[in-house]
Amino acid sequence: MKHILLITTGGTIASARTDKGLCPELSSDELLEYVPEIGEICRVSSAAMFRLDSTNMRPENWLLIARRIREEYDRYDGFVITHGTDTMAYAAALLYYLIQNNRKPVVLTGAQIPINMRDTDARENLVDAFRYATDDGACGVHIVFDGKIIAATRARKTHTKSFNAFSSIDYPEIGFLRGDRVRYYIHEAVTGTPEFFDKIDSSVTVIKLIPGMDAGIFDYLAEHTHAVIIESFGVGGIPYYDTADFADKIELLIRHGVRVVITTQVPHEGSDMTVYQVGLRIKEKYELPEAYDMTTEAVVAKVMWALPRTETAAQFRELFLTPVGNDMM
């Protein structure tokens, strides 16, 4: 029987009603009491690392989770992490970059309704997470939710209340769970030895362009952040209104050593800045990396991971544009 470490962080799954709304209160042992059938699937040990609403989770929390997994890696066959849904896609993506060539499953799950309430999805999600974590075909970092197995860098929360909260963006789901069976659409293979990373730079800002936006916002960012991810229009359009303000401000960021990445605010099919003049002239002038079909959550995580590993803009661009697994197709 496989041995799995359950890492709890709070979130809706562990929440209880208070006079000020839902708040994470349940311990890891209390969570497990609601799903005794997990004891028939595997041996379980538990570690309560945080008791936070996922809105209050930060990259530094996820770095600590990665370090805990590194410390415990040889003791367990896999890891299940319960986490709030609102920032779960960011958490999964960052763990994906912090734990590479990972032969053991790291599975994130949670719930839309707390485990101690009627009609909850929590018990099924938690059991599914353990079933996948103990399957011989499981490896790497994934989200298991509503019966779906989703690659960490392709997950996005697309529903705020429904049980099918997460979607796989521009990439097939890895598989699904039905009853006690795990079925795969994609069989993943891991080569090499596990590689853990222990440094990130979370001084990263995402700016979503809107029509008529004042480019002056970049003056502030030039002094207060290390990287700016610009969610452009369409396939990569940057406005040129009556002046070249946006181009000038991007140049300002570059002069200040701020790394700039262009992505799209459109959910599907990714960017291609070569299609229109409003994208191509920016891309060519400044040799900006673009995210293509990556999710914004994955872009944020990869930038945080890449910043401390590079010294120059050219090195950053090369590392960012080098695919890691299935993060960029």
Side-chain angles (χ1 to χ4, degrees):
M1 186 173 277
K2 292 187 176 182
H3 193 186
I4 305 297
L5 178 63
L6 170 66
I7 296 174
T8 60
T9 68
T12 298
I13 192 171
S15 289
R17 291 193 190 278
T18 73
D19 57 1
K20 295 183 179 180
L22 292 175
C23 182
E25 293 191 351
L26 301 182
S27 69
S28 53
D29 289 338
E30 288 172 321
L31 276 179
L32 289 170
E33 288 175 2
Y34 285 94
V35 279
E37 59 267 41
I38 288 176
E40 301 173 4
I41 299 172
C42 60
R43 288 194 297 133
V44 182
S45 296
S46 63
M49 290 195 64
F50 311 107
R51 196 173 289 186
L52 295 171
D53 188 297
S54 68
T55 296
N56 293 326
M57 291 287 283
R58 294 177 289 184
E60 290 73 19
N61 296 115
W62 302 323
L63 183 60
L64 289 174
I65 293 172
R67 288 175 177 170
R68 182 63 179 268
I69 292 173
R70 181 178 192 170
E71 293 168 358
E72 306 282 8
Y73 196 78
D74 293 333
R75 296 181 56 197
Y76 296 97
D77 299 300
F79 303 86
V80 171
I81 303 166
T82 56
H83 195 287
T85 59
D86 289 345
T87 58
M88 188 186 294
Y90 290 98
L94 189 57
L95 289 172
Y96 181 88
Y97 292 110
L98 293 175
I99 310 171
Q100 297 184 29
N101 299 327
N102 181 17
R103 297 177 181 274
K104 296 183 179 182
V106 174
V107 187
L108 290 89
T109 195
Q112 296 285 62
I113 298 176
I115 200 167
N116 58 7
M117 292 187 183
R118 236 181 84 184
D119 302 322
T120 179
D121 57 333
R123 289 188 286 274
E124 182 175 357
N125 285 344
L126 195 53
V127 170
D128 281 350
F130 276 92
R131 288 201 187 282
Y132 175 65
T134 56
D135 191 80
D136 289 339
C139 60
V141 184
H142 296 85
I143 287 176
V144 170
F145 211 97
D146 193 38
K148 297 180 288 190
I149 306 166
I150 301 175
T153 58
R154 293 292 172 166
R156 171 170 289 172
K157 187 175 182 181
T158 52
H159 296 83
T160 59
K161 299 177 181 179
S162 302
F163 286 175
N164 60 332
F166 289 90
S167 300
S168 184
I169 304 299
D170 291 342
Y171 193 79
E173 295 167 7
I174 301 302
F176 64 96
L177 296 106
R178 290 292 182 270
D180 60 353
R181 303 296 296 275
V182 180
R183 302 287 190 182
Y184 292 94
Y185 298 121
I186 298 173
H187 289 277
E188 299 174 299
V190 177
T191 58
T193 58
E195 187 173 8
F196 290 85
F197 297 87
D198 59 5
K199 292 182 181 178
I200 58 171
D201 184 342
S202 60
S203 181
V204 177
T205 303
V206 177
I207 291 292
K208 181 175 183 175
L209 299 183
I210 62 171
M213 175 183 283
D214 188 337
I217 184 68
F218 292 111
D219 292 329
Y220 175 85
L221 295 176
E223 302 287 346
H224 292 88
T225 194
H226 296 160
V228 174
I229 299 162
I230 301 175
E231 286 194 337
S232 64
F233 298 117
V235 291
I238 305 295
Y240 272 85
Y241 301 130
D242 299 325
T243 64
D245 284 354
F246 277 93
D248 292 342
K249 296 304 183 184
I250 288 173
E251 185 171 327
L252 173 69
L253 292 173
I254 293 170
R255 287 202 310 269
H256 278 73
V258 177
R259 308 300 180 227
V260 180
V261 176
I262 307 297
T263 187
T264 174
Q265 57 192 258
V266 181
H268 294 283
E269 301 181 346
S271 65
D272 183 352
M273 296 178 72
T274 66
V275 174
Y276 293 99
Q277 186 184 57
V278 289
L280 180 59
R281 56 184 172 178
I282 290 281
K283 182 182 176 76
E284 288 184 334
K285 184 174 182 179
Y286 302 114
E287 296 185 326
L288 297 178
E290 61 176 305
Y292 299 108
D293 65 345
M294 293 178 69
T295 66
T296 296
E297 294 88 344
V299 175
V300 169
K302 194 170 189 178
V303 170
M304 289 181 180
W305 167 77
L307 282 172
R309 277 161 195 86
T310 55
E311 295 181 357
T312 67
Q315 290 172 345
F316 173 82
R317 184 179 188 276
E318 181 179 4
L319 183 57
F320 180 82
L321 292 176
T322 301
V324 179
N326 53 27
D327 71 342
M328 181 183 295
M329 304 302 290

